[in-house]
Every structure is written in C-alpha cells, then in structure tokens.
Amino acid sequence: MQALRLTVILSAFVVMLAVAPLAHATTTESMFRGEVLEIESFGERSIPGLRARESYQHLQVRITDGPRMGEVISAENTTLIDFNPGDALYLTMLPTAEGEEIWLADEPDRIPVLAMFAVLFVVLTALAGGYAGIRSIVALALCLCIILFALVPLLYGGANAVLTCVGLAFVMLVLSMIITHGFNRPTLAALAGSTAALAFASAVSFAAVAFARFTGLAGDENVYLNYATAGTLDLSGLLFGSILIG
C-alpha cells in the first residue's frame, strides 16, 4: 500500500512537471486562446492568382485568456481543420495600418489531449515497471525540466551552445542513471562507460557540424529566430546540441 501511494504521488508530480510548462509557453501579445461559440458561415472560394480553391470558416470566438479575456471576436479559419462550437483553439491577431484587427484561427488547443496521454504513459509505466518504472519517469521529467528551465534560458542569454549542451547532457546523464538505478558500484561503472560514450559522441558531432559547415539555417523559422534574437543564438551550436541531446 505504501509503494502504491508513493507511485500515485510521483505520477501526479511528473504529470504536473510535464504539463505546466506547456500552459505558460504558448501565448504572446498577438496570440490568444479562445473558444468557438458559433460558426457564422463556411464554404469554398477561389484563391486569387491560383487555379485552386480553399475551404474557409467564419467563427465567432470568445477569448479565454490574457488581457482581452471575455471579448467576443470574429475570426477566419483557412486551416485544414474544421472547428465546431465548443472547440478550444489558438488565435492570431494581425493589426493593420488602419488600426483594425484581423483575427485568424491558428491551431486547436492540444494541451488537454497531451495531458491525457502523459497520464496514460505514467500509469502504464507504473503498471509495467512498478517503482523502477516510476523512477525512470521521474528522471525523464527532471531532464525535461533541465532542458526547459536551464538549457533554453542559458542559450537565449548568449551562453556558449557547445559547452552548455555538453555540460547539461552530462548532468542529465548522471541524474537519470542515479535516480533510475540508485547510487552503487554497478551504476558508477555504467556511468563511467556512458560518460566516455558521451565524450566520443560530442567529439564526432562537433566534427561533423564543423567540417560539413552546417549553419543551422535550414528553414524560414531558423531565419526568423535569428532575426528575432539579433543574431545572438549560435544556430550551428544549436544543431550540435540537438544531435547530442536529441
């Protein structure tokens, strides 16, 4: 009974760690959460300049967060997703030069679904692996927190991407192995071997990125990120970190 109680407490703790960052990292000054109240109109129309047609919806939406919470606005949906009354979604607001606002439906709010799968994952892991499985989930959640609350702020603050990724990868390796397997001689032996493997992987990844002269500018989102941060992010270093940690 005590082991079961501990399992439930750890499961709830892990779920909160996994879901809480999502609840605070998705809205900006021009993005809002909302709930569909009514579908005002829908249909198909031609795309100007193209021999193609697109589906559209005009939605009546109530904003459910931020300083404009409670306002009811009209938004246009041209995504591939059809929304229904009661659906939660994200909205993008685009101000015009005339001072007007254009509201566009962006994406459905997937946090409840992700939370459900997170709970299911924890429960199945607890049933299959018992206390050892729960410890592995705790280690995984701790590594996620290190990435969100240590790695990302450090990189955004201009820290050296290569050294930061290697150092935090080693910290995550040590914590995950000790939490999962305990502090004993077999764990220390496995940790020594894993540290050597991490060092080798770091050297190979760094050489691959350097000699191949990867810039990290693989798509438009990388270019926008580079401009948004005034070039302070080392995108090639981020590519190295994604290879090493991912």
Side-chain angles (χ1 to χ4, degrees):
M1 181 61 68
Q2 185 177 0
L4 178 61
R5 187 177 304 168
L6 180 60
T7 298
V8 172
I9 294 174
L10 289 176
S11 300
F13 176 70
V14 169
V15 170
M16 286 189 295
L17 287 178
V19 175
L22 296 175
H24 300 282
T26 49
T27 58
T28 65
E29 293 181 357
S30 60
M31 181 171 285
F32 301 83
R33 286 192 185 94
E35 180 184 358
V36 178
L37 300 178
E38 181 184 348
I39 300 175
E40 297 175 340
S41 62
F42 64 93
E44 287 189 354
R45 64 191 176 192
S46 299
I47 302 177
L50 297 176
R51 295 181 179 179
R53 298 179 64 82
E54 67 176 356
S55 299
Y56 71 90
Q57 289 179 309
H58 289 148
L59 309 173
Q60 186 180 87
V61 182
R62 181 176 62 244
I63 300 174
T64 57
D65 77 341
R68 304 182 62 169
M69 183 173 60
E71 289 189 31
V72 177
I73 53 91
S74 293
E76 184 176 71
N77 172 35
T78 57
T79 66
L80 298 178
I81 301 173
D82 290 331
F83 291 101
N84 299 305
D87 287 348
L89 76 164
Y90 288 100
L91 302 162
T92 299
M93 188 273 289
L94 302 176
T96 66
E98 293 77 18
E100 299 179 352
E101 297 176 345
I102 299 176
W103 291 87
L104 301 175
D106 194 357
E107 294 284 344
D109 185 0
R110 298 185 175 93
I111 291 180
V113 178
L114 295 177
M116 179 187 67
F117 278 106
V119 173
L120 180 62
F121 177 62
V122 170
V123 171
L124 292 178
T125 302
L127 293 176
Y131 184 56
I134 289 298
R135 286 188 299 179
S136 67
I137 293 296
V138 172
L140 179 63
L142 184 59
C143 292
L144 177 62
C145 290
I146 291 175
I147 293 174
L148 292 176
F149 301 117
L151 179 61
V152 173
L154 285 173
L155 294 178
Y156 188 75
N160 184 286
V162 174
L163 296 179
T164 301
C165 291
V166 172
L168 289 182
F170 175 72
V171 171
M172 288 186 287
L173 175 64
V174 173
L175 291 177
S176 60
M177 294 195 70
I178 291 179
I179 292 174
T180 303
H181 303 288
F183 188 79
N184 48 52
R185 289 186 178 181
T187 299
L188 294 178
L191 182 59
S194 298
T195 302
L198 175 64
F200 178 75
S202 301
V204 172
S205 300
F206 182 80
V209 172
F211 290 126
R213 294 189 288 184
F214 289 119
T215 62
L217 296 171
D220 293 340
E221 63 276 5
N222 304 95
V223 177
Y224 296 146
L225 180 62
N226 190 42
Y227 279 115
T229 57
T232 58
L233 289 180
D234 180 6
L235 295 182
S236 62
L238 292 180
L239 176 61
F240 163 79
S242 65
I243 296 173
L244 183 65
I245 298 177

